[in-house]
């Protein structure tokens, strides 16, 4: 087979598929059209020849076969044909009723010993019942079908053996029943596949929305940490610089330089965070030049910046802090940054802050305690987002955060992280 033949067959299959889709769409819109078309087709193929040749027994088969049947008048033949064919109009809406009506006319017709080509309607009705009816109704229909076929086998016994006729008729009925069940199963499978595809699409959209919400939460947390801390430092430095301008101009200039450095650092971090949200024109994510995420090595610079804002910070570590992975270090840095920012907001400029990071086996503890006054009454609401952010970061490592007034005065924040690797059962 050549390439042209294969492409031609593919084009033919595509056209047939499109034609089938249009036919199914038209059938859903106007179902009566197809039902009427089936009735007309059965009439033209099976009823009309009987009317033109005056029955099946006239000129068909051996002489003894022709003489064994009754010749019906045209009016009687039309009545029986109408009883066999017209119920096919509701074969899909009421398949049991259609099958019962056709089976009754079929039995009446063969009781009169008058065969008709329109008897094929009984097989069509059985097919429709298997396809559209309820499955629990099939045994009764099969029993009625077997009885009707037995009647026909007895009537034609003059020309054909009863067992041969019964085998042929029951085989035909079985074929109609099997075809209806196969089409039914196929449609059910296609419906299930469509439902599954729709369900997967919904789940994909839900996962996409969940990922978007998670990313927004992460970006909001990063923005809060960056903007909140740096703005607190800038405001404190600006107030101190404005106060020192008239007394010590050099200190005012130094404060302005520190404000510039802090602002530039904050702007760089904001660009880094927002850069991951950009997309290029072709839809691919833009990859800006990213600076490394802060870690424990940056806490000294963080403490120095807070000291310039007027706080006295005492920082110490214990344990193998250098062995911590980058994710843990970023979490520790952000928790410390948020705690120091809250102290900077609510404590006096001469406040002393004790910062300790302790690593003991699989446990990491962060303690930030200041000697200033406890946070004002409105502080919990004001700092709520920051505390929530700290708890969310600690929860990533199975930890928790507690904050409240310290025993000897001031405010204390303590965070505990679990450094046990995930999947470790120890």
């Amino acid at each position: 087979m050549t390439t042209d033949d294969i492409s031609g067959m593919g084009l033919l299959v595509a056209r047939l598929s499109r034609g089938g889709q249009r036919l199914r769409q038209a059938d859903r819109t106007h179902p009566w059209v197809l039902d009427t078309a089936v009735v007309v087709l059965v009439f033209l193929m099976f009823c009309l020849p009987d009317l033109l040749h005056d029955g099946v027994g006239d000129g068909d088969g051996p002489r003894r076969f022709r003489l064994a049947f009754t010749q019906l008048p045209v009016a009687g033949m039309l009545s029986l044909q109408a009883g066999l064919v017209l119920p096919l109009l509701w074969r899909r809406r009421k398949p049991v009723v259609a099958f019962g009506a056709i089976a009754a006319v079929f039995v009446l017709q063969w009781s009169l010993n008058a065969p008709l080509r329109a008897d094929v309607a009984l097989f069509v009705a059985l097919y429709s019942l298997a396809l559209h009816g309820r499955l629990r109704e099939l045994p009764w229909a099969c029993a009625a079908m077997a009885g009707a076929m037995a009647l026909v086998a007895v009537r034609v016994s003059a020309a054909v053996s009863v067992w041969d006729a019964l085998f042929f008729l029951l085989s035909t009925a079985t074929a109609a029943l099997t075809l209806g069940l196969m089409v039914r199963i196929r449609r059910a499978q296609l419906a299930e596949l469509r439902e599954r595809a729709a369900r997967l699409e919904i789940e994909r959209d839900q996962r996409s929305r969940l990922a978007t919400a998670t990313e927004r939460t992460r970006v909001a947390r990063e923005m809060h940490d960056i903007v909140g801390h740096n703005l607190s430092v800038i405001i404190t430095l600006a107030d101190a610089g404005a106060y020192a301008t008239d007394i010590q101009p050099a200190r005012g200039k130094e404060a302005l330089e520190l404000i510039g450095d802090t602002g530039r650092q904050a702007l760089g971090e904001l660009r880094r965070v927002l850069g991951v949200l950009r997309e290029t024109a072709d839809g691919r994510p833009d990859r800006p030049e990213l600076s490394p995420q802060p870690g424990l090595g940056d806490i000294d610079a963080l403490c120095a910046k807070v000291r310039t804002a007027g706080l006295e910070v005492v920082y110490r570590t214990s344990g193998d802090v250098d062995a911590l992975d980058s994710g843990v270090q970023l979490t520790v840095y952000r928790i410390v940054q948020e705690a120091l920012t809250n102290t900077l907001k609510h404590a006096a400029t001469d406040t002393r802050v004790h910062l300790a990071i302790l690593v003991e086996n699989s446990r990491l503890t962060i303690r930030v305690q200041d000697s200033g006054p406890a946070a004002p009454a409105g502080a919990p609401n004001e700092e709520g987002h920051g505390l929530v952010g700290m708890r969310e970061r600690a929860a990533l490592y199975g930890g928790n955060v507690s904050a409240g007034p310290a025993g000897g005065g001031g405010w204390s924040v303590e965070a505990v992280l679990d450094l046990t690797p995930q999947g470790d059962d120890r």
Side-chain angles (χ1 to χ4, degrees), residues 1 5 168 216 232 237 262 277 280 385 388 406 413 417 423 426:
M1 184 178 293
D5 294 336
F168 173 77
R216 286 178 178 175
S232 297
L237 290 174
T262 303
L277 303 179
T280 57
H385 187 80
V388 170
V413 175
L417 307 182
R426 293 177 298 172

Side-chain angles (χ1 to χ4, degrees), residues 221 224-225 335 338 384-394:
R221 190 167 55 232
H224 175 270
D225 293 340
I335 292 176
E338 180 62 30
H385 187 80
L387 290 176
V388 170
M390 286 192 286
R391 292 191 176 99
E392 288 177 350
R393 290 184 182 278

Side-chain angles (χ1 to χ4, degrees), residues 4-295:
D4 293 338
D5 294 336
I6 296 176
S7 59
M9 290 179 61
L11 183 60
L12 178 60
V13 171
R15 289 179 177 176
L16 291 176
S17 177
R18 288 194 297 268
Q21 291 178 357
R22 286 194 293 266
L23 181 60
R24 286 191 294 271
Q25 179 64 33
D27 183 48
R28 285 192 293 267
T29 306
H30 305 288
W32 57 270
V33 174
L34 181 58
D35 295 335
T36 305
V38 170
V39 172
V40 173
L41 183 63
V42 172
F43 176 80
L44 293 177
M45 292 182 63
F46 301 99
C47 297
L48 194 58
D50 281 347
L51 295 174
L52 296 177
H53 297 89
D54 194 19
V56 175
D58 185 14
D60 293 337
R63 178 177 178 81
R64 62 172 182 169
F65 185 79
R66 295 197 304 269
L67 295 177
F69 297 109
T70 303
Q71 300 297 322
L72 293 174
V74 176
M77 188 182 303
L78 280 174
S79 299
L80 291 175
Q81 288 179 344
L84 290 170
V85 176
L86 291 181
L88 294 178
L89 288 172
W90 60 84
R91 64 184 182 87
R92 292 191 294 179
R93 295 187 297 275
K94 297 180 179 180
V96 178
V97 176
F99 178 81
I102 294 175
V105 176
F106 182 89
V107 172
L108 174 62
Q109 168 213 326
W110 280 97
S111 298
L112 298 176
N113 201 23
L116 293 174
R117 291 183 176 88
D119 290 339
V120 72
L122 184 62
F123 298 100
V124 177
L126 181 62
Y127 163 82
S128 300
L129 179 60
L131 178 58
H132 304 289
R134 288 174 291 191
L135 294 179
R136 66 172 181 266
E137 297 165 344
L138 282 180
W140 301 100
C142 292
M145 192 73 178
M149 296 301 101
L151 175 62
V152 175
V154 172
R155 288 297 188 181
V156 300
S157 59
V160 183
S161 168
V162 173
W163 296 111
D164 292 343
L166 194 60
F167 174 78
F168 173 77
L169 294 171
L170 290 180
S171 299
T172 307
T174 302
L177 179 66
T178 304
L179 181 60
L181 291 176
M182 289 179 59
V183 175
R184 183 188 188 118
I185 294 172
R186 179 60 177 170
R187 289 184 179 179
Q189 290 176 341
L190 292 176
E192 184 179 357
L193 289 176
R194 285 192 293 267
E195 181 181 356
R196 182 180 179 186
R199 186 168 59 251
L200 290 176
E201 185 175 356
I202 293 174
E203 292 176 357
R204 181 198 63 191
D205 295 339
Q206 290 176 344
R207 286 195 298 269
S208 177
R209 287 194 294 269
L210 181 60
T212 301
T214 303
E215 183 65 14
R216 286 178 178 175
T217 302
R218 186 189 69 82
V219 172
R221 190 167 55 232
E222 292 286 335
M223 294 280 288
H224 175 270
D225 293 340
I226 295 170
V227 175
H229 171 75
N230 288 287
L231 282 181
S232 297
V233 173
I234 288 174
I235 291 172
T236 303
L237 290 174
D239 293 340
Y243 175 77
T245 299
D246 297 332
I247 302 175
Q248 293 180 327
R251 297 286 295 177
K253 180 180 179 181
E254 181 181 356
L256 291 176
E257 292 175 350
L258 290 174
I259 289 174
D261 293 339
T262 303
R264 280 187 290 272
Q265 179 183 355
L267 183 61
E269 293 187 8
L270 286 176
R271 285 175 176 171
R272 174 179 56 79
V273 172
L274 297 178
V276 299
L277 303 179
R278 298 196 194 102
E279 287 188 349
T280 57
D282 57 359
R284 292 179 297 180
D286 191 11
R287 296 187 178 273
E289 295 182 0
L290 302 179
S291 59
Q293 292 275 31

Side-chain angles (χ1 to χ4, degrees), residues 362-375:
S362 61
R363 178 187 176 95
L364 186 149
T365 304
I366 306 168
R367 294 193 184 97
V368 182
Q369 182 174 350
D370 62 68
S371 61

